[in-house]
């Protein structure tokens, strides 16, 4: 049983920082993505994502229709848009968006086959290839995203249409894999967590059973994909069926120790695992989730909450291999990590999970988005150098500026759905207790009747004020990074010690809880086991990782050294800077340049100020050097 | 016209350091490689290199024969062995080796077709495929190596047999490419410099003309390989014909600015270019060579003289992309760099060329060889960490211990031929002047009658004593790294200022020149433009780069910091250590370990001694951490 339940999407009305991003999603990203999906944006690679659904509907009705176009998982772009648009609609009522959303949903529903199957790739043609290629064809992945979309649409609008369609779809999948006992498990996990959402909303036991089935059978026979490939004579990309670790099938999940393989798939899978473990009170599975969590957080995660440090397979690398420059750290992977974290937190109230959730959100997820909401990073480096990034073979995938919409458009709509549902990550409840995990400014209503109004400039301020309506317990997270903190209730200081990162404050009507966190900048050091970070330090302020960009540092960040004995200082908030932010000033040195490649005279050092900006805001001023970790002088 | 001529291989008899390595080649590597080539070593991948020549001979005589086996360039292994064995024979008379050598040469000669063609791959079968696939089939590369072998065999033994065969082969190639005007240029350059060797020994003008032709036409039509691929329907590996930079064909060589593509091919090509430029006094071509040299030495070379910093195509990366861990830095590439350097030096007496030659030799080339001469590195990392090297996808190619003989056995015989001919790099002459570039201990006889006896423990001592017989000028290199130096003639100090890194000392019979160089250890710093080396320092002593290995540093090198204000010291020479070497002691700190991946308390620092060994000797004591560049504290 979950110890924290998510709030409904309709029950959080943002203000402040969160509102700015949710508005960006609502005003820019969702309309833009809608037009991309409908192929109405000039200069953007054709998507055909909506057209595919139209063609699938026509095919089912026996009408003349066009071919399927795009990636095999093109349907999921539509699903993620429906999900994001639904969440956004719940926050920002918008008749036009609701109409567009209803139309898209209708188009999707028309594409469902009589038997419940729903995937345009194999509905438009080649029906005989359904379920033959779990390794690559991503039917379960697309189904999962559409189930999530259905849950979001229902939750936001109360409209059951898509949910009914997706329950029918889940029953179809159940029929295939459970009733008919078909072998196999998803090439790209995602449906597991989606089925658990369907279960939580509808109570449909088949959805739970199916999610559990995919978790239980995965990796028990690691050779499944090898057998599958022998039974068919077609491929999507020709993936290697024997890369067991890449596809998270090298061992039964209950035995898993290390986070492995494609990092987005892995973290979606672990999220589904944890949902199943919590719901079924499966201790062995929960322990495996905890081991995987520790593997990520203790040995395989960037300071920015990025995961998947190698571009080879967009995958986890080995322990402590966390290069800043050849990095992958996909935006989607950090979104998936937030999902995993929020599920761990739901079962075990421990601030560490929320700390990581917040780290991934404020740094890697937001770094994925240009401040105008129009361009997106998939790869999030911690160091970028014009002339080397994008150019060197090992860094071809690392971009210096955010590209526009790709053919493989996973990250932009994923970021949109995450941001527009951030309230669910920020707030939770259980009986008469409410949980504040992320200090999101705005108004929150809980099912238990308690209301909170959160006023804060967080993450640019450590002051968070909660005003209450109704009675109960307010549980507040005290982040591990806050060296000092203070909690006042109605002006009176409370001396509470956090238990696993949380304090509990009993409240009644019109109480005011004032939390003061210490967001003063701090130097952070990596373990001696990370070769790439020896002798380097980064600077964080509150949940924000800061970086140094050429634009603020004389176009040369590579010459900077930090003096870690001098405390960095935050500048005042500047609303006109990069959409509104606080710069940071650190103290250190700028080395003198040397002409030769190697020189046996130590470079002269001149005192210098190092100007930092939040990592998430880098690359909004053109191509320039950027570094999170800089060498330090003690 | 060359300003320095190489000495004959017969005219240098080594002692000291060079003798130890030449003996290792003679006693271990050459016999071992001979047995590998003859498939007589158990547990080593089949070579069939000699067998291929036997089969080609049989095929030509119409006898029953086996198939070709191995890499398309398998013949070159035999060629490099002949070259190495010839050089070695000139230094260490050895009846058994001479007999083996004569037999192998005989076998090779038997494999030449009537028309002069000599390549077992297309002689054993598929004669119709000759010269169809310059991109991949490496016929010109193999021919080049066999020409070099022929020159060496002739120079060492006076036997013309193989030289005659290879002159005939050169005429056959001339007929094809010049007389019959066939399009194209070598996929793997090497034949250019080999033809220039043939020309210098035989005076055959066709050899010169052909070398010049391959230099002149390369890259003038960058699309040659694309056209070639359309004319044939077979492949070796399926190389991309449009990767112009990789294959050094993106522009005419006279316009080249940056060292590009496969680094071994590039440096062989530039060596051939420089030979042609010098011989034909082609200033434009010489200028291009100088630009390429600058590109390498100023922006694309490791401190160890390693080149080719990416495993993708074993190639040069972009400027300043010199990662220590994902590095390639193939042993063969540094050998090729020495060849290029010695050719630059022959035309322009400048110590910089010899400095680089020496850097590549004492560091990367020697690092390629295990101290027992039985195992070999192809890839020479500047940082290795068990658990990450060999394991992380970006470092799969980086080995922690030297592997044995590969199927693609380029490096081991290449190192053998280089080391056994080191006298040619160390000493040169022109008229009455002799050049001492590398302080190789031993006796040298020059064509001009001068004899030198060099006594030194170099590189472990900076004291070099030359005793002379005969009169003339002795030109001594003063390395750029020697901050101070002293030259005495017959006990009397000379006050000579080096001109472009060289000083000239007139000598007569029984003079004694005593050169004192400063090999005291020095910290070296990389340009601010190299992102991987910010805040790091390396230590060199004389020509040797030192490294820090776990074996000497409590199994944890990643925690070490150097205090660059404290001068490191060389330990006494220890004959029992790693085959005889001098350790180095530096002073600095060992950081305290931290348990968490990231921590906001600066690690405590404890004073520590850092124990270094010459980089070339790393990985002789099992798998352990190694680092050349370490972070420093000032």
């Amino acid at each position: 049983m979950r110890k924290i339940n998510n709030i409904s999407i309709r029950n959080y009305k943002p203000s402040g920082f969160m509102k700015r991003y949710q508005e960006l999603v609502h005003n820019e990203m969702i309309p833009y993505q809608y037009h991309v999906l409908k192929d109405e944006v000039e200069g953007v690679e054709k998507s055909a994502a909506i057209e595919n659904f139209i063609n699938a509907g026509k095919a089912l009705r026996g009408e003349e229709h066009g071919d399927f176009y795009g990636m095999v998982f093109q349907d999921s772009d539509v699903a993620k848009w429906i999900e994001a648009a639904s969440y956004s609609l719940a926050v920002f009522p918008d008749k036009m968006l609701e109409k567009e959303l209803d139309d898209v949903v209708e188009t999707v529903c028309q594409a469902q086959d009589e038997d419940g199957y729903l995937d345009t790739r194999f509905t438009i043609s080649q029906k005989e290839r359904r379920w033959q290629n779990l390794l690559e064809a991503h039917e379960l992945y697309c189904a999962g995203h559409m189930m999530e979309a259905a849950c979001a649409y229902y939750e936001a609008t109360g409209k059951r249409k898509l949910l009914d369609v997706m329950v029918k779809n889940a029953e179809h999948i159940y029929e295939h894999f459970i009733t008919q006992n078909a072998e196999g498990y998803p090439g790209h996990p995602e449906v597991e967590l989606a089925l658990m959402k369907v279960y939580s909303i509808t109570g449909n036991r088949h959805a739970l059973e199916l999610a559990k089935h995919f978790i239980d059978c995965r990796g028990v026979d690691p050779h499944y994909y090898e057998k599958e490939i022998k039974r068919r004579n077609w491929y999507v990309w020709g993936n290697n069926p024997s890369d067991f670790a890449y596809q998270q099938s090298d061992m039964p999940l209950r035995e898993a120790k290390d986070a492995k393989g494609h990092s987005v798939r892995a973290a979606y899978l672990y999220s589904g695992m944890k949902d199943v473990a919590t719901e079924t009170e499966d201790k062995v599975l929960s322990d495996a989730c905890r081991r995987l969590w520790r593997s990520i957080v203790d040995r395989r995660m960037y300071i920015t909450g990025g995961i998947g440090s190698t571009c080879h397979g967009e995958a986890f690398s080995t322990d402590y291999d966390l290069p800043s420059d050849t990095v992958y750290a996909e935006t989607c992977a950090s979104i998936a990590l937030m999902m995993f974290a929020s599920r761990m937190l739901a079962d075990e109230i421990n601030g560490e999970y929320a700390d990581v959730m917040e780290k991934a959100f404020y740094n890697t997820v937001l770094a994925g988005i240009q401040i105008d909401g129009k361009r997106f990073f998939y790869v999030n480096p911690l160091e970028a150098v014009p002339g080397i990034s994008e150019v060197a073979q090992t860094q071809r995938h690392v971009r210096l500026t955010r590209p526009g919409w790709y053919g493989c458009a996973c990250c932009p709509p994923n970021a949109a759905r995450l941001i527009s549902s951030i309230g669910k990550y920020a707030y939770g409840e259980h009986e008469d207790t409410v949980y504040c995990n992320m200090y999101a400014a705005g108004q929150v209503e809980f099912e238990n009747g308690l209301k909170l109004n959160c006023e804060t400039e967080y993450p640019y301020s450590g002051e968070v004020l909660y005003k209450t309506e109704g009675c109960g317990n307010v549980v507040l997270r005290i982040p591990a990074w806050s060296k000092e903190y203070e909690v006042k209730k109605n002006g009176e200081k409370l001396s509470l010690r956090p238990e696993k990162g949380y304090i509990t404050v009993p409240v009644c009507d019109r109480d005011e809880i004032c939390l003061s966190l210490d967001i003063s900048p701090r130097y952070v050091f990596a373990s001696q086991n990370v070769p790439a970070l020896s002798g380097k330090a980064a600077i964080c302020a509150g949940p924000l990782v800061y970086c140094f960009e050429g634009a603020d540092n004389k176009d040369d960040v590579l010459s900077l050294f930090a003096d870690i004995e001098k405390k960095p200082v935050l500048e005042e908030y500047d609303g006109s800077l990069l959409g509104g932010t606080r710069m940071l000033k650190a103290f250190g040195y700028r080395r003198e340049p040397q002409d030769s490649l190697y020189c046996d005279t130590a470079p002269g050092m001149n005192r210098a100020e190092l100007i930092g900006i939040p990592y998430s805001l880098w690359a909004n001023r053109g191509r320039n050097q950027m570094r999170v970790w800089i060498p330090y002088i003690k």
Side-chain angles (χ1 to χ4, degrees), chain A residues 29 67 98 165 183 238 384 447 449 525 582:
Chain A
M29 291 168 64
D67 282 342
E98 187 164 4
V165 159
E183 250 190 313
E447 299 296 319
F525 304 85
R582 291 180 79 170

Side-chain angles (χ1 to χ4, degrees), chain A residues 508-525:
Chain A
C508 243
D509 250 2
R510 300 196 194 173
D511 275 341
E512 288 197 1
I513 309 173
C514 185
L515 175 65
S516 298
L517 299 171
D518 176 12
I519 64 157
S520 63
R522 59 194 189 277
Y523 277 106
V524 178
F525 304 85

